[in-house]
Amino acid sequence: MRFGPPADASRFASAWSDLAGVGRDPLRGGFSRHTFDDADMQLRHWFAEQAQRRGLEVENDRNGNVWAWWGAPGPGSVVTGSHLDSVPGGGAFDGPLGVVSALLAVDELRLRGVTPARPLAIACFAEEEGGRFGLPCMGSRLMTGAVDADSVRRLHDVNAVSVADAARRVGFDPSTMGPDPARLAVIGTFVELHVEQGRLLQAADASAVVGVGSEILAHGRWRITVTGQGNHAGTTRPEDRKDPMIPAAAAVFAARRAITEYEGAVATVGRINPIPGGTNVIASTVQLWLDVRHESAVTTATIVDAIVAAVRDEAAAEDCTVMVQRESMVDKVSFDAGLGLELSELLKAPVISSGAGHDAGVLSAHVPTAMLFVRNPSGVSHAPDEYADAADCLVGIDALADVLENLVR
Ligand SMILES: [Zn+2]
């Protein structure tokens, strides 16, 4: 494996300790950093300060994404970066590792005496996880025009605060949200470094620290609302119950069945919301969210149909009604094959696929895009136990610096 000299471990440790206290979630463990909340704003300020310290020009785009430029934006720009937001109770690495690595890769390029012949930018994309407003990759999708800005402005969080209001509260003008073709046009290449979310790298090559991404599975989110009749848990006879939790439970089991029935599929109910949510109350309504992923978008749809059918069967027996809303869906993404091959040869790194969505997946429809994954020994992600060894992160930073050095020539 060829990597440059190790990036300064103390600079990495210091950046990491800056972030360690921001957005800690005392209830769930890990971090809850949600778009435009206090933690997110603190991270944005931290990023801007770090970028300015490095002489980069910081700007907010019209979609809540932050950019830091080395050189004036222009055609053929090389862009790297990731996101600062997290899932509720997420790990420390998903998102921030790509941002911190980008900043330290810039340091590394300077140490190597590289003078970019093309502009280089670090981007932090808003609401990558969809943790607050339910739409993953919101910032990159807005920028590329993959979603309608009006419907995004109207999305709201669990406290009924809309995207537009949340943006206004932190000084962003939501009226300018929408496609940004001029910005997109200057991006020549996008490379996102990310902690691996799974253990495919280990399976591909037990000694590999960094892998190059080839594709992202088709994936989507659906909200299923089952409505029955709220009632007393103690006094309501079995034959009088219209309990929406029963069809909701059917969704959970049908999702697990789908994993065994469809090779390569994953289906998860990770969030369920009984209303009103009392221990001694039969819920009147249950909302649940279904996450389904497979290589094929057609199979993904088939799986969702099967799960919804199971919910409807139970709902009919329980005298409940069912409403299904698709919150997001993206087809399988294949990253630029030539670029992927080039990076894998440069880094002597194996090529792996990803079951997780990323802003890189959104951008890949418009510009040559690649991803680097830093190994994650347990494979755990979207949870407090997510972990990457600091020494591996340093290897990742050098790999990113190698890649950027090659691209900015
Ligand atoms: Zn991520």
Side-chain angles (χ1 to χ4, degrees):
M1 243 194 289
R2 191 201 86 77
F3 290 116
D8 188 344
S10 73
R11 276 183 295 124
F12 179 73
S14 134
W16 219 242
S17 79
D18 286 349
L19 303 184
V22 184
R24 282 216 173 262
D25 190 325
L27 203 64
R28 303 180 179 98
F31 300 90
S32 288
R33 298 159 168 169
H34 294 146
T35 311
F36 304 141
D37 74 359
D38 288 350
D40 184 40
M41 296 316 289
Q42 249 178 284
L43 293 176
R44 286 163 183 264
H45 288 137
W46 174 85
F47 172 72
E49 203 252 320
Q50 290 287 321
Q52 277 154 1
R53 228 190 253 182
R54 289 167 169 84
L56 310 181
E57 193 71 38
V58 178
E59 58 160 347
N60 290 304
D61 72 9
R62 49 222 196 72
N63 292 306
N65 311 311
V66 193
W67 298 71
W69 288 92
W70 183 359
S77 296
V78 175
V79 181
T80 185
S82 192
H83 60 97
L84 293 166
D85 67 313
S86 75
V87 296
F93 296 85
D94 180 354
L97 183 62
V99 175
V100 168
S101 298
L103 288 165
L104 269 63
V106 164
D107 294 345
E108 180 65 30
L109 293 184
R110 291 232 167 92
L111 282 171
R112 294 182 191 179
V114 174
T115 312
R118 300 160 178 278
L120 173 64
I122 305 173
C124 305
F125 290 102
E127 183 81 351
E128 193 274 345
E129 299 288 7
R132 181 167 182 186
F133 300 108
L135 178 68
C137 300
M138 189 176 92
S140 56
R141 287 196 211 204
L142 278 166
M143 180 181 87
T144 55
V147 277
D148 173 59
D150 271 333
S151 46
V152 169
R153 277 187 281 265
R154 285 195 297 267
L155 291 174
H156 55 80
D157 67 8
V158 290
N159 298 313
V161 178
S162 68
V163 168
D165 285 339
R168 254 183 239 113
R169 282 179 199 179
V170 294
F172 288 107
D173 176 7
S175 72
T176 63
M177 282 178 174
D180 197 346
R183 181 172 299 273
L184 198 53
V186 301
I187 307 176
T189 316
F190 179 67
V191 182
E192 179 170 0
L193 179 144
H194 206 278
V195 67
E196 198 197 356
Q197 300 172 286
R199 291 200 285 184
L200 293 181
L201 188 51
Q202 217 169 85
D205 176 353
S207 67
V209 176
V210 172
V212 175
S214 57
E215 61 181 29
I216 296 178
L217 300 184
H219 58 284
R221 298 177 179 192
W222 290 261
R223 182 169 70 215
I224 302 178
T225 307
V226 188
T227 304
Q229 187 177 51
N231 216 329
H232 195 292
T235 60
T236 313
R237 297 181 310 164
E239 58 268 40
D240 293 336
R241 288 177 182 237
K242 299 176 180 178
D243 185 350
M245 194 57 90
I246 307 302
V252 176
F253 285 102
R256 173 50 67 88
R257 267 200 311 277
I259 296 181
T260 53
E261 282 170 16
Y262 297 86
E263 166 125 33
V266 282
T268 307
V269 177
R271 182 177 165 203
I272 185 160
N273 180 26
I275 299 166
T279 305
N280 55 355
V281 180
I282 296 169
S284 59
T285 298
V286 173
Q287 293 174 307
L288 65 95
W289 283 260
L290 181 63
D291 176 306
V292 181
R293 307 174 192 224
H294 186 269
E295 198 184 31
S296 146
V298 175
T299 307
T300 305
T302 307
I303 292 168
V304 174
D305 287 348
I307 295 170
V308 169
V311 175
R312 289 198 194 281
D313 281 354
E314 286 298 332
E318 193 70 18
D319 202 8
C320 292
T321 58
V322 180
M323 198 172 74
V324 181
Q325 277 172 293
R326 190 177 78 175
E327 290 193 339
S328 68
M329 174 65 205
V330 283
D331 286 350
K332 181 177 108 166
V333 166
S334 297
F335 293 122
D336 190 283
L339 181 62
L341 189 66
E342 193 184 315
L343 301 197
S344 123
E345 280 172 2
L346 175 75
L347 303 172
K348 307 272 177 286
V351 175
I352 55 168
S353 67
S354 168
H358 300 283
D359 294 303
V362 176
L363 285 165
S364 74
H366 304 271
V367 293
T369 299
M371 285 195 77
L372 301 182
F373 291 104
V374 173
R375 76 176 163 193
N376 169 351
S378 71
V380 172
S381 187
H382 282 187
D385 286 344
E386 179 183 85
Y387 180 74
D389 198 75
D392 290 351
C393 295
L394 295 180
V395 173
I397 290 161
D398 277 314
L400 181 61
D402 286 354
V403 167
L404 295 176
E405 182 177 352
N406 216 47
L407 291 171
V408 295
R409 277 198 187 120

